[in-house]
Amino acid sequence: MPLLMDSQMIIHTSFIFLFFWFSNPIKNTVSQPSSTHCPLEFKNLTTVLNSTCEEGTWNDFLLDKCCKEPFNIYLDALAARANQTGRIFLNSTEQTSCLNKIKNNITDVFSCGIDKLTITSGVKGCSGFLVQDVLNKLGDEVIGLSTGCGLFDRREGSCEKCVKSWNEIRGIEAGDDADLCRFAVLTSLTTSRIDDLIWAQNIRRCLGNVTNGNEIH
Ligand SMILES: *[C@@H]1O[C@H](CO)[C@@H](O)[C@H](O)[C@H]1NC(C)=O
Ligand SMILES: *[C@@H]1O[C@H](CO)[C@@H](O)[C@H](O)[C@H]1NC(C)=O
Ligand SMILES: *[C@@H]1O[C@H](CO)[C@@H](O)[C@H](O)[C@H]1NC(C)=O
Ligand SMILES: *[C@@H]1O[C@H](CO)[C@@H](O)[C@H](O)[C@H]1NC(C)=O
Ligand SMILES: *[C@@H]1O[C@H](CO)[C@@H](O)[C@H](O)[C@H]1NC(C)=O
Ligand SMILES: *[C@@H]1O[C@H](CO)[C@@H](O)[C@H](O)[C@H]1NC(C)=O
């Protein structure tokens, strides 16, 4: 009997040894492609990993309603980085790396449409904008959104006014992607009130819940 135990133990130990021997090189090879690290720091990631599907799709910007929770956390992280660096959107490799971090088993974040908010070289419009570019070129829109959605910090804001100022953001010239410009303006505005959680929460409750141009409650 003790002999049997011993040999079982040996088999067991060798198995564990072999497992680590083989799995380490595999792990290393697999993790290599995402060598560009994600420059965003996600807060409350556990809520995303455990998220529930919510109505509202940022006026159909998001392709699935289950995308909203990961996206809101993504927006927070964009604003936090913009506060530190002045940069707004990510480039494509950074984007892939960041979406990998917020993917969960409920939503395929790669199918949400978030990757539309990527810096695309050679494209006009707002994709490559820094916060300073937004303030210089879309200053009226920043003031418009700030006025339209501004009272949310006191729970007095009207969602209708906020949605109106959101829809008025179109870009600088014809052909600009309105969504890229809207999120650039929103991020530039959020970045200056990064600690105002109530405002951030209410603006999402309003704009995030817009469908087909109408707010839903
Ligand atoms: C993070 O989660 C905690 C607890 O769930 C919550 O109180 C807090 O408001 C959240 N923070 C943000 C930025 O959403
Ligand atoms: C996930 O949700 C379940 C049920 O709502 C809860 O019991 C659990 O603590 C949550 N896990 C995390 C990591 O938040
Ligand atoms: C994106 O930016 C990172 C630096 O953060 C850089 O290493 C990478 O080459 C860039 N990727 C593209 C596609 O421009
Ligand atoms: C997601 O995955 C975790 C861990 O693998 C599991 O505990 C959880 O039940 C899963 N949630 C859903 C909604 O499938
Ligand atoms: C960054 O956020 C702080 C509040 O935490 C704010 O006072 C500051 O003006 C912001 N900086 C920029 C460049 O928006
Ligand atoms: C958005 O609207 C739905 C119902 O249409 C509601 O259940 C949900 O709580 C709303 N979300 C927020 C953040 O207010």
Side-chain angles (χ1 to χ4, degrees):
M1 196 58 183
L3 195 71
L4 189 64
M5 289 276 281
D6 273 358
S7 58
Q8 269 186 344
M9 195 96 107
I10 288 167
I11 290 168
H12 198 78
T13 319
S14 343
F15 180 77
I16 289 173
F17 176 77
L18 283 175
F19 178 78
F20 281 108
W21 180 266
F22 281 113
S23 64
N24 275 341
I26 291 168
K27 249 189 182 161
N28 289 341
T29 339
V30 168
S31 60
Q32 257 170 8
S34 54
S35 54
T36 301
H37 86 289
C38 166
L40 302 181
E41 212 178 290
F42 296 109
K43 300 227 172 77
N44 279 5
L45 201 53
T46 48
T47 49
V48 176
L49 302 175
N50 206 7
S51 73
T52 49
C53 292
E54 243 193 273
E55 291 297 330
T57 59
W58 284 91
N59 200 14
D60 299 332
F61 172 75
L62 296 176
L63 302 176
D64 187 300
K65 70 187 169 93
C66 298
C67 295
K68 197 157 90 173
E69 208 158 343
F71 185 58
N72 287 343
I73 287 194
Y74 178 92
L75 283 180
D76 278 346
L78 274 192
R81 183 181 76 134
N83 183 278
Q84 301 296 309
T85 66
R87 294 170 197 273
I88 300 179
F89 298 124
L90 306 173
N91 74 25
S92 58
T93 41
E94 293 167 335
Q95 185 77 281
T96 306
S97 167
C98 289
L99 291 182
N100 261 312
K101 273 177 87 173
I102 53 170
K103 72 176 176 201
N104 62 17
N105 49 4
I106 299 159
T107 321
D108 178 9
V109 288
F110 290 94
S111 315
C112 285
I114 299 175
D115 56 317
K116 205 176 154 197
L117 301 182
T118 302
I119 299 171
T120 316
S121 57
V123 171
K124 287 183 305 163
C126 303
S127 102
F129 275 16
L130 304 174
V131 171
Q132 198 54 53
D133 298 321
V134 174
L135 298 178
N136 292 344
K137 295 174 185 162
L138 290 164
D140 289 347
E141 283 82 351
V142 174
I143 292 169
L145 194 68
S146 173
T147 311
C149 311
L151 289 171
F152 279 149
D153 51 355
R154 282 180 268 148
R155 301 178 187 277
E156 288 168 5
S158 121
C159 185
E160 208 177 313
K161 261 178 73 186
C162 182
V163 170
K164 190 162 171 284
S165 56
W166 176 255
N167 287 332
E168 275 164 8
I169 303 170
R170 300 239 153 75
I172 298 154
E173 46 192 26
D176 282 358
D177 185 297
D179 283 325
L180 276 165
C181 295
R182 285 170 184 159
F183 285 108
V185 169
L186 177 63
T187 303
S188 302
L189 188 57
T190 315
T191 205
S192 61
R193 26 199 329 170
I194 209 87
D195 294 327
D196 199 342
L197 294 179
I198 293 177
W199 180 80
Q201 208 171 34
N202 286 341
I203 204 163
R204 281 191 224 125
R205 192 162 287 162
C206 170
L207 294 177
N209 246 357
V210 171
T211 303
N212 299 323
N214 298 303
E215 53 179 304
I216 50 168
H217 286 295

